[in-house]
Structures are given as C-alpha cells and as structure tokens.
Amino acid sequence: EKSVPADALQREAKQGMKQTLGRLGRYSAVRALSLLLAVIVAAYFTIIVANMDGELDRLMEAQIRDEVNLEVALNPQYARLPLHEREAIIEELIQIERRSMGMDEPFFPTRSLNFLRAAMTLRLTFHTLTSSRASTLLAP
C-alpha cells in the first residue's frame, strides 16, 4: 500500500476548504443580491400602488400647507399684513415648497424613483419648511 505524506493531506484539506468557502461565498453573495433586488422591486411597486390615486401627492400637499400656514401664523411680521397679502404669501410659499420638493415633476419615473431612493436610504419623512428658510423666502 502506498502511503501519502501528511503535508500532502493537509494541503488537499486546505484546498478543499478553500473551494468550499469559495462556493459558499458565491452562493451567499448571489442570495443577498437576489434578496436586495426583491426588496427594491417590492418597495417600488408599493410606491406606485400607493400613488395610483395621487395619495402621496395629497399627503405631501397637506403637509406643505400645514407647515406653511403654521409658519406664517407664528411669524409676527406676517400678522401685521392684511389678510389678502398673507394669503398671497402663503400661496407663494406653498408653490416654492412644492417646486423644492419636486412636485412639479412627473410622478413616473422622476418622483417615484426619488421616493424609492428615500425609502432605500430610510429617509422616510418629507422635506418641509424650516422657520429660518420661510422667513427669508418672502420677508414683508
């Protein structure tokens, strides 16, 4: 009977282990990429279905209106203005904010892909006015 040196057996065992780990790594990478792709596709379909009736647009519009109305109501400079001027400022601020949020762009594909990017990076809140920005946009 032919004897095999111990170091040759160890080399074969190491080589077999490397091959096994390589196959396991490739399998895991393919599996992870497949799952990631499935999550992205599912999220995108969810975004499209959620906005079929323009629901996301209505939510964003309502949030913009609430934020702008609150900002103008809390700003003492606007309180001294006549009602029609305040309403004009509110409408202008709303339009500025709508443009800054990209609501003047078509939903498909531009805004839907922006929603997808936000969802995938876990930025799940809408961008809204801040006190300092609203004050500097249209100072009376």
Side-chain angles (χ1 to χ4, degrees):
E1 205 175 298
K2 210 177 189 184
S3 75
V4 179
D7 61 334
L9 287 175
Q10 285 179 336
R11 273 191 309 239
E12 279 186 39
K14 283 183 183 180
Q15 187 176 10
M17 181 68 86
K18 284 181 184 178
Q19 288 175 346
T20 302
L21 288 176
R23 285 193 310 267
L24 181 63
R26 276 193 306 277
Y27 172 79
S28 297
V30 168
R31 201 68 175 154
L33 288 174
S34 298
L35 286 172
L36 179 63
L37 181 63
V39 167
I40 290 171
V41 168
Y44 191 64
F45 283 146
T46 302
I47 290 166
I48 289 174
V49 168
N51 200 50
M52 274 193 175
D53 288 337
E55 192 62 32
L56 291 175
D57 293 340
R58 282 193 291 275
L59 286 171
M60 289 173 65
E61 181 78 28
Q63 184 173 358
I64 290 170
R65 284 196 176 280
D66 288 346
E67 292 284 330
V68 168
N69 282 319
L70 182 63
E71 183 64 38
V72 170
L74 294 177
N75 190 328
Q77 294 175 345
Y78 295 128
R80 294 188 301 254
L81 295 175
L83 181 61
H84 68 278
E85 284 184 38
R86 258 194 325 245
E87 288 174 350
I89 288 172
I90 287 171
E91 286 306 313
E92 189 169 347
L93 283 171
I94 288 170
Q95 292 309 313
I96 289 169
E97 192 62 20
R98 281 178 51 87
R99 281 191 301 277
S100 76
M101 291 177 71
M103 290 183 69
D104 55 343
E105 298 173 12
F107 179 76
F108 185 78
T110 308
R111 286 189 303 128
S112 64
L113 291 175
N114 288 341
F115 279 126
L116 179 63
R117 184 179 334 112
M120 291 296 105
T121 57
L122 299 179
R123 285 185 301 116
L124 302 176
T125 58
F126 295 131
H127 166 72
T128 57
L129 280 173
T130 60
S131 301
S132 61
R133 200 170 111 214
S135 301
T136 59
L137 285 176
L138 294 171

